Amino acid sequence: LLDKVRAAGGQFFVAKNSLMHIALGKKDEFKDSFKGMNGLLFAFEDAIAPLKALMEFHKSTEKLTVKKGFMEI
């Protein structure tokens, strides 16, 4: 997964929920999502290619649940 996301121009991180909440500016709409295991996907050049790589992984393994999305331009 990490190699495919990186090849698509993105990065995928797994970090503590409290750090992810701080990184997203403590937005209240994400507060409920920070329960259990979570990861963040960042896209740098192409906003869609890393997401496609993540969704391909999801379709092939079904070990992943997408909880929320956030896009900032």
Side-chain angles (χ1 to χ4, degrees):
L1 171 64
L2 297 178
D3 290 336
K4 289 181 181 180
V5 168
R6 224 177 275 125
Q11 283 187 310
F12 185 79
F13 293 97
V14 176
K16 290 187 170 219
N17 290 334
S18 57
L19 294 176
M20 285 192 251
H21 194 212
I22 291 168
L24 291 173
K26 294 191 176 185
K27 296 185 182 300
D28 288 335
E29 61 265 24
F30 292 106
K31 190 174 183 179
D32 294 337
S33 297
F34 295 120
K35 293 184 172 102
M37 294 172 46
N38 288 295
L40 288 174
L41 175 70
F42 290 94
F44 300 107
E45 296 169 13
D46 180 2
I48 302 301
L51 182 58
K52 283 184 179 179
L54 184 73
M55 295 312 294
E56 285 175 12
F57 175 80
H58 168 64
K59 287 179 184 177
S60 66
T61 64
E62 296 185 14
K63 292 184 177 182
L64 166 65
T65 302
V66 176
K67 293 182 180 180
K68 295 264 183 173
F70 176 72
M71 185 171 176
E72 185 173 283
I73 299 174

